[in-house]
Amino acid sequence: MNDSDGLQNVVRSTGIISVAIMVSRVLGLVREQVVAYFFGSTVVTDAFYAAFRIPNLMRDLFGEGGLSKAFITTFKMTEIEDGEDSAWQLSNRIFNGTAVVLFILTLIGILIAPSIVDLMFMGEGFDVQLDPFDHFGFTNKRDLTVYLTRIMFPFLLLVSFAAIAMGILNSKGKFGVPAIASSFFNISTIIIGVLGYYLGPKAGFHPVTGLAIGILVGGGTQFLIQLPSMWCVGFRYQFLISVKDKRVRQVCFLVIPTILGVAALQINVLVNGMFASVGENWLSWLAWAFRLMHLPIGIFGVAISTVALPNLAGLVARGEIEEFRESFSFALRLVFLLTIPASVGLMVLSESICQLIYGIGRNVGNTDPIAAALFCYSFGLCGYSAVKVVTDGFYAFNDTKTPVKVSLLAVGLNIILNYLFIFELGLEYRALALSTSCTITLNFLLLLALLRRKIGGLALNDIWYFLIKLMFASAIMGISCWITSLIIKNQMAIDSLISRLLEVFLPISTGLLVLLLMYKLLKIQELDQLLDCILRR
């Protein structure tokens, strides 16, 4: 396979997974709309997001964030060096071993849920008193959070199974089904959440219980939907457990520092949760804002990273370092090509987007704080997406220690910035979004410099000229979006669904046309490669 074919395969696979993730992310937004519509910016919403953050954090730590990437790298190496049968035996041993470990962790988590909530959300914003009559016996926000945490904690186990399934399928070059699987998670949450809101109180349960159960069912669905594809690529379940197998030890050797690296990033989440618990509704505003960030991160960053890791790992395993440089450079350029204009667009249209998505039901008139948080998060969109690709570059070389060291540095910076922005500059909840953007961008830049030194170059000689052209084109696009938005607002005197739709989609359409024109005028070749591969597909 020549370099051109390799790049086309990357773009084609990225296109498939981007569409699948886009569907999932849109459904994720619908899920957040359901929460905003039925519960609004209230203590109940804060309790739900706080409770969901705990198993979700653990999932990132032990599932998708660490084990999945370490498994993909080792699976590819085992398949190349020892044969396919050995790779399938490895997958069974990892699956069963993970099940035992996470089952124990889930039981412990349920038992000590009150202590976990007290640690993660120690601020006075979680000491709000509730009317036990209106809240089905719960007297304060913290108790409601513990109740929801215990319901959702098994989500860790279920979604980690889904992460392993995703690793198996991605290792075999199957990307669409794992990407679309999370759509079924969102669908389950939406349906059961709405049913629980209406039927729960009749059975004596708090209305938000339906959302918690929906999260749990969704995690199981996300795993089960991948089983037929696993069977098709050759996976057959066997009850194999071994800590002595050299490949299992290799995964453990990789996953432990990887978990530490992810743990460093998750400490940021933990710290942000502590700071967010200082004020009422801060957690909800930040969760809703970051959910909007999930759309471009998923479509661009996660999609490209998911395709890049097996490709990069395979190139390293075969000793094709020059091809590694070219593939890595193309993946990174593709991230910038898509995320820089997306970042500018989110900044310019943050108010209109938040009014359209979240200004509904009980949350009408409460979208300005969400828009402010989204604006601050947008500065970190490129860093969030690009750091995934750079980290995969280290994982391809089985180097998980360097990302750990850089992440630990970012943790310290995040804590300092949170304190300065909140207590010294008075930025309140916006400080958490802004400090997160700063630290993730620094994380990316440091990792990029270290990876370049590690392998003696990354084929990024003209990257700065490329970035300048992208930023200029994105600035012109942003101005066109802003002008179009102002014209629509002046013409639409009445606030309605139609006016809100026009205020979002007309500027986006205008901006995309302007952006494509600027890319053409500036002769950005990566766009031509992207469009060519899409048209061929």
Side-chain angles (χ1 to χ4, degrees):
M1 181 186 296
N2 58 40
D3 292 344
S4 177
D5 291 337
L7 295 180
Q8 287 181 6
N9 287 336
V10 170
V11 173
R12 289 169 184 167
S13 298
T14 301
I16 294 171
I17 197 171
S18 292
V19 172
I21 290 180
M22 181 175 65
V23 173
S24 174
R25 293 297 194 256
V26 170
L27 288 170
L29 279 177
V30 175
R31 186 189 74 211
E32 304 306 318
Q33 283 185 301
V34 169
V35 178
Y37 183 88
F38 288 108
F39 299 102
S41 297
T42 62
V43 294
V44 174
T45 305
D46 253 16
F48 169 73
Y49 282 120
F52 184 42
R53 174 171 289 196
I54 294 170
N56 209 34
L57 184 151
M58 299 286 287
R59 182 275 306 270
D60 291 338
L61 196 60
F62 295 101
E64 293 178 7
L67 180 60
S68 182
K69 292 182 181 296
F71 172 79
I72 289 174
T73 303
T74 309
F75 185 93
K76 293 294 292 185
M77 186 176 297
T78 304
E79 188 176 36
I80 292 172
E81 296 180 357
D82 303 334
E84 190 174 35
D85 289 341
S86 297
W88 289 130
Q89 290 177 13
L90 170 67
S91 64
N92 275 287
R93 291 188 177 103
I94 295 299
F95 185 89
N96 293 322
T98 301
V100 172
V101 172
L102 293 184
F103 181 76
I104 295 172
L105 284 175
T106 298
L107 288 179
I108 294 173
I110 292 173
L111 291 173
I112 66 171
S115 299
I116 297 175
V117 171
D118 288 342
L119 174 64
M120 291 187 62
F121 308 104
M122 58 180 64
E124 60 184 14
F126 272 72
D127 292 325
V128 177
Q129 298 300 306
L130 304 178
D131 185 339
F133 180 78
D134 293 334
H135 292 275
F136 295 81
F138 294 101
T139 57
N140 60 67
K141 181 178 176 181
R142 196 174 298 277
D143 288 344
L144 179 59
T145 304
V146 171
Y147 165 74
L148 295 173
T149 299
R150 283 176 163 157
I151 294 176
M152 288 189 281
F153 219 101
F155 172 76
L156 163 64
L157 181 64
L158 297 170
V159 83
S160 294
F161 289 163
I164 296 174
M166 179 185 70
I168 292 172
L169 292 175
N170 288 349
S171 297
K172 301 299 290 183
K174 304 297 181 181
F175 301 102
V177 171
I180 202 68
S182 56
S183 296
F184 292 90
F185 161 74
N186 288 319
I187 291 171
S188 299
T189 306
I190 293 167
I191 293 174
I192 297 177
V194 173
L195 291 175
Y197 180 83
Y198 289 109
L199 301 179
K202 296 180 180 179
F205 295 102
H206 196 289
V208 78
T209 304
L211 282 174
I213 296 175
I215 293 291
L216 197 60
V217 174
T221 306
Q222 187 173 346
F223 167 61
L224 293 175
I225 203 68
Q226 298 182 76
L227 289 181
S229 296
M230 290 171 63
W231 180 272
C232 290
V233 298
F235 176 81
R236 299 295 183 270
Y237 177 76
Q238 295 175 284
F239 187 72
L240 300 174
I241 295 181
S242 174
V243 296
K244 296 181 179 180
D245 181 81
K246 67 174 184 177
R247 293 302 186 183
V248 173
R249 291 201 303 268
Q250 183 178 345
V251 173
C252 294
F253 177 77
L254 291 174
V255 82
I256 291 174
T258 303
I259 286 175
L260 292 176
V262 177
L265 294 175
Q266 294 308 316
I267 290 173
N268 281 336
V269 177
L270 179 63
V271 170
N272 286 348
M274 292 177 179
F275 280 105
S277 66
V278 170
E280 291 187 36
N281 302 325
W282 287 16
L283 204 61
S284 300
W285 295 334
L286 291 167
W288 281 330
F290 198 75
R291 171 53 59 181
L292 290 169
M293 283 276 289
H294 269 197
L295 188 61
I297 289 175
I299 295 174
F300 308 139
V302 174
I304 295 172
S305 171
T306 302
V307 176
L309 179 56
N311 182 49
L312 295 176
L315 292 173
V316 172
R318 293 189 293 271
E320 300 172 358
I321 303 302
E322 187 58 38
E323 288 77 4
F324 171 91
R325 293 190 182 100
E326 293 297 330
S327 184
F328 176 86
S329 174
F330 181 74
L332 198 60
R333 289 170 182 269
L334 202 59
V335 168
F336 289 141
L337 180 78
L338 299 169
T339 57
I340 289 178
S343 178
V344 173
L346 286 175
M347 292 179 189
V348 174
L349 300 175
S350 58
E351 291 185 4
S352 298
I353 292 173
C354 289
Q355 286 178 358
L356 174 64
I357 301 297
Y358 297 124
I360 56 177
R362 297 187 61 183
N363 210 47
V364 172
N366 293 319
T367 59
D368 287 346
I370 309 171
L374 176 61
F375 183 88
C376 294
Y377 270 135
S378 299
F379 286 100
L381 176 58
C382 295
Y384 260 109
S385 301
V387 77
K388 297 179 181 297
V389 176
V390 180
T391 303
D392 288 343
F394 283 97
Y395 290 161
F397 283 94
N398 291 334
D399 179 0
T400 55
K401 294 180 180 179
T402 301
V404 172
K405 296 174 183 177
V406 175
S407 296
L408 288 173
L409 177 63
V411 168
L413 177 63
N414 185 61
I415 294 172
I416 294 172
L417 291 179
N418 277 342
Y419 180 82
L420 291 176
F421 289 166
I422 292 176
F423 298 107
E424 299 297 329
L425 299 181
L427 295 179
E428 297 182 330
Y429 62 93
R430 292 164 294 186
L432 301 174
L434 187 59
S435 63
T436 299
S437 296
C438 292
T439 53
I440 198 66
T441 302
L442 176 65
N443 199 334
F444 157 66
L445 292 174
L446 286 177
L447 284 175
L448 183 65
L450 292 172
L451 183 62
R452 182 175 181 273
R453 187 174 69 176
K454 180 181 181 68
I455 64 174
L458 289 172
L460 298 174
N461 294 331
D462 58 345
I463 189 68
W464 294 111
Y465 181 58
F466 174 70
L467 289 176
I468 289 172
K469 291 195 293 184
L470 289 185
M471 289 187 286
F472 178 73
S474 299
I476 300 300
M477 178 211 72
I479 292 172
S480 68
C481 288
W482 179 64
I483 293 174
T484 304
S485 179
L486 283 180
I487 294 174
I488 296 173
K489 288 180 179 179
N490 291 332
Q491 295 296 321
M492 305 295 292
I494 301 175
D495 182 22
S496 63
L497 177 59
I498 294 177
S499 66
R500 291 186 181 187
L501 288 170
L502 291 175
E503 287 175 17
V504 172
F505 289 105
L506 277 184
I508 289 177
S509 301
T510 303
L512 285 176
L513 291 175
V514 171
L515 182 67
L516 290 174
L517 178 62
M518 292 302 302
Y519 277 178
K520 284 290 185 181
L521 291 176
L522 295 173
K523 298 180 180 180
I524 297 177
Q525 297 178 352
E526 286 75 9
L527 175 66
D528 295 331
Q529 289 177 291
L530 178 63
L531 293 177
D532 180 59
C533 290
I534 291 174
L535 291 175
R536 290 191 182 197
R537 183 65 183 174

